[in-house]
Amino acid sequence: MTRWKLTIEYDGTPFVGWQRQENGLSVQQVLEDAVKNLSGDENRIQAAGRTDAGVHARGQVAHVDISKPRSAKDMRDGLNFHLRPHPVAILSAEEVPADFSARASAIEREYLYIINNRRASLALEQHRAWHVPFRLDETLMQDTAQILVGTHDFTSFRATECQAKSPVKTLDELSVTREGDHIYIKARARSFLHHQIRNLVGTLSLVGHARWTKQDVIDALEAKDRAKGGPTAPPDGLYFMRVTY
Amino acid sequence: MTRWKLTIEYDGTPFVGWQRQENGLSVQQVLEDAVKNLSGDENRIQAAGRTDAGVHARGQVAHVDISKPRSAKDMRDGLNFHLRPHPVAILSAEEVPADFSARASAIEREYLYIINNRRASLALEQHRAWHVPFRLDETLMQDTAQILVGTHDFTSFRATECQAKSPVKTLDELSVTREGDHIYIKARARSFLHHQIRNLVGTLSLVGHARWTKQDVIDALEAKDRAKGGPTAPPDGLYFMRVTY
């Protein structure tokens, strides 16, 4: 048995999310089918992050065990051959020790959220960004985001169905920048709660639109009540960028 | 009657091209339907460039006449409303004099061709770039491209069905640059022949792959014979960027 670390890009649009589900095609299923077709092994593939339906990845990481030895190049190219025509690509494959876990060994995860902040509807970026047609003030958003960085109880910003044991997480970075019509929100942490980034982005959008003040966000954070947090931004703008081990 | 100049973005993937055709949905049809639904006018819309099936636009320009006066904002937003859910967006609408022609008044057109030059198949860029999995030398491509700049008989690089009166065109710019895995080819000219950019890109890819030399391209240009030119690059990587008037 060889344990393989795979770095994966995918367009989340056609999938029910990372995880296998009864009601549709998942990224996990497409990858496990490719592994089986390439190697004959019916092994489970485990990811660093279980992205929701519609969420994309530029650097998701997963591990899987394969019985027969093969080169890293053959592993990558062979899986990519069997992944066609699904919008899932193996960017790299590398052999790792048997105790490597894509999920448990991760020390930091990075996500990027893209807002297209123009009046005209989206054409080339349909499903690739959140379209916010009214002007957002990215300076207010960036300023407010800084109060969320650090260790907090994020109960107000996690999905009610979130299964994490503790709502306390440490946000290493939450930065908001603008380039032309695009607003980029970068988030880094060891781990995130379910919907945490989308709920933070939805909340920051209220600040950018001057409907909430910085104090409203402080109050929401301190309330420790999901009903006091802002709305959930759509999955379309969210990209899982990289994992540090 | 008011003549309107429209600046348009579209994802070319689901369309048979700009021009109305019997065999499928065109960008022109979708826009003429939106104009009719907004204004009641059944007027023809004319574009600066009739892009092929699968070719995208970030700044196509077209003009159309509308009987009832309305503000530029209402024109843009109203058309965008009626264009849903098609991946076509009006970036701006402005009133122009009745003698303005999106096609005939243009003094320069700019296109961008995107090659994704990595080994792994495409996921997020499916239909948005040409995937060339073997390494291309962009320096050789850029060097060779310069012999194509200027006024030449481009017979070897135009579609055999091209209906332009003369095969002589003046290429103002043909530049090749790399950023990471992406190779960008920018082309500027007053006008282009049918398939000219895709044929030039296909030919330059042979040079980048060291299958053709610069001299082979000079020979092909001088042959004035389409059979001596290189292959046609796919439409997926081509973007109509802007028009100067």
Side-chain angles (χ1 to χ4, degrees):
Chain A
M1 274 295 182
T2 308
R3 179 154 291 193
W4 288 89
K5 175 189 173 194
L6 307 174
T7 304
I8 308 161
E9 176 183 306
Y10 49 84
D11 173 4
T13 313
F15 298 107
V16 295
W18 169 268
Q19 202 157 19
R20 266 184 190 273
Q21 287 177 46
E22 294 292 318
N23 62 334
L25 198 65
S26 62
V27 182
Q28 184 185 12
Q29 183 184 333
V30 158
L31 281 160
E32 288 176 355
D33 288 352
V35 165
K36 187 183 166 193
N37 287 328
L38 178 70
S39 70
D41 295 312
E42 296 199 39
N43 289 332
R44 184 155 165 262
I45 185 163
Q46 199 180 14
R50 289 171 306 202
T51 52
D52 291 319
V55 173
H56 315 292
R58 289 200 178 275
Q60 167 77 285
V61 176
H63 75 259
V64 68
D65 295 326
I66 304 281
S67 50
K68 227 172 74 181
R70 63 180 67 232
S71 75
K73 188 181 170 303
D74 284 355
M75 182 73 176
R76 180 197 61 196
D77 293 352
L79 286 176
N80 280 332
F81 175 81
H82 288 288
L83 283 166
R84 284 176 201 162
H86 300 292
V88 179
I90 306 296
L91 301 181
S92 71
E94 51 180 312
E95 287 191 39
V96 285
D99 64 350
F100 173 86
S101 161
R103 189 167 182 193
S105 309
I107 57 170
E108 191 171 76
R109 292 162 169 87
E110 182 184 321
Y111 283 84
L112 179 69
Y113 197 98
I114 305 179
I115 296 174
N116 188 320
N117 189 212
R118 71 181 190 190
R119 182 67 192 168
S121 24
L122 303 189
L124 280 159
E125 284 172 79
Q126 278 190 8
H127 307 296
R128 305 297 171 90
W130 180 23
H131 181 220
V132 178
F134 44 79
R135 181 79 183 186
L136 295 173
D137 183 331
E138 72 279 8
T139 312
L140 287 178
M141 292 167 72
Q142 162 67 5
D143 181 48
T144 303
Q146 300 328 300
I147 64 157
L148 298 159
V149 173
T151 305
H152 303 283
D153 179 327
F154 284 98
T155 298
S156 301
F157 302 102
R158 69 160 168 174
T160 47
E161 67 270 28
C162 178
Q163 291 169 9
K165 280 176 214 147
S166 163
V168 176
K169 292 285 174 190
T170 301
L171 207 48
D172 298 328
E173 178 179 355
L174 187 65
S175 59
V176 184
T177 52
R178 175 187 285 275
E179 284 177 35
D181 285 337
H182 291 95
I183 293 176
Y184 298 101
I185 300 166
K186 186 171 152 186
R188 285 188 300 114
R190 173 182 278 272
S191 61
F192 291 93
L193 298 163
H194 192 201
H195 282 183
Q196 184 181 355
I197 299 171
R198 289 166 58 190
N199 290 339
L200 291 174
V201 169
T203 302
L204 289 176
S205 77
L206 296 178
V207 175
H209 198 202
R211 289 169 57 198
W212 274 34
T213 64
K214 186 175 176 176
Q215 187 59 48
D216 291 331
V217 177
I218 294 170
D219 293 347
L221 182 65
E222 289 176 353
K224 300 181 181 59
D225 174 359
R226 176 68 193 109
K228 297 289 196 299
T232 308
D236 313 56
L238 189 56
Y239 294 76
F240 191 6
M241 298 300 284
R242 68 180 62 84
V243 187
T244 308
Y245 292 97
Chain B
M1 277 296 182
T2 307
R3 179 155 290 193
W4 288 90
K5 175 189 172 193
L6 307 174
T7 304
I8 308 161
E9 177 183 306
Y10 49 83
D11 173 2
T13 313
F15 299 108
V16 295
W18 168 268
Q19 201 158 19
R20 266 185 191 273
Q21 288 177 46
E22 294 292 317
N23 62 332
L25 197 65
S26 62
V27 181
Q28 184 185 12
Q29 183 184 332
V30 158
L31 281 161
E32 288 176 355
D33 288 351
V35 164
K36 187 183 165 190
N37 288 328
L38 178 70
S39 70
D41 294 312
E42 296 198 39
N43 289 331
R44 184 156 164 261
I45 185 163
Q46 199 182 14
R50 288 170 307 202
T51 52
D52 290 320
V55 173
H56 315 294
R58 290 201 177 276
Q60 168 77 284
V61 175
H63 75 260
V64 67
D65 295 325
I66 304 283
S67 50
K68 230 172 72 180
R70 62 180 68 230
S71 75
K73 187 180 170 303
D74 285 355
M75 182 71 177
R76 180 198 60 196
D77 293 352
L79 286 177
N80 281 331
F81 175 82
H82 288 288
L83 282 166
R84 284 176 200 161
H86 299 292
V88 179
I90 306 297
L91 302 180
S92 71
E94 52 180 309
E95 287 191 37
V96 285
D99 64 350
F100 173 85
S101 161
R103 188 168 181 193
S105 309
I107 58 170
E108 191 172 74
R109 292 161 169 88
E110 182 183 321
Y111 283 84
L112 180 68
Y113 196 99
I114 305 179
I115 295 175
N116 189 321
N117 189 211
R118 73 181 188 190
R119 182 67 192 169
S121 22
L122 303 189
L124 280 159
E125 284 172 78
Q126 278 190 8
H127 306 297
R128 305 298 171 89
W130 179 23
H131 181 219
V132 178
F134 43 80
R135 182 80 183 185
L136 296 173
D137 183 330
E138 72 278 8
T139 313
L140 286 177
M141 292 167 73
Q142 162 67 6
D143 181 48
T144 303
Q146 300 327 299
I147 64 156
L148 298 159
V149 173
T151 305
H152 303 283
D153 180 327
F154 284 98
T155 298
S156 301
F157 303 101
R158 70 160 168 172
T160 45
E161 67 269 28
C162 177
Q163 289 170 10
K165 279 175 213 146
S166 163
V168 176
K169 292 285 174 191
T170 302
L171 206 48
D172 298 329
E173 178 178 355
L174 187 66
S175 59
V176 183
T177 54
R178 174 187 285 274
E179 285 178 34
D181 284 338
H182 290 95
I183 294 176
Y184 299 101
I185 300 165
K186 186 171 153 188
R188 287 190 298 115
R190 171 181 280 272
S191 61
F192 291 93
L193 298 163
H194 192 203
H195 283 182
Q196 184 181 355
I197 299 171
R198 289 166 58 191
N199 291 339
L200 291 173
V201 169
T203 302
L204 288 176
S205 77
L206 296 178
V207 175
H209 199 201
R211 290 168 56 199
W212 274 32
T213 63
K214 185 174 176 176
Q215 187 59 47
D216 290 331
V217 177
I218 294 170
D219 293 347
L221 182 66
E222 288 177 353
K224 301 182 180 61
D225 174 359
R226 175 66 193 110
K228 297 289 197 296
T232 308
D236 313 57
L238 189 56
Y239 294 76
F240 190 6
M241 299 300 282
R242 68 180 62 85
V243 187
T244 308
Y245 292 96

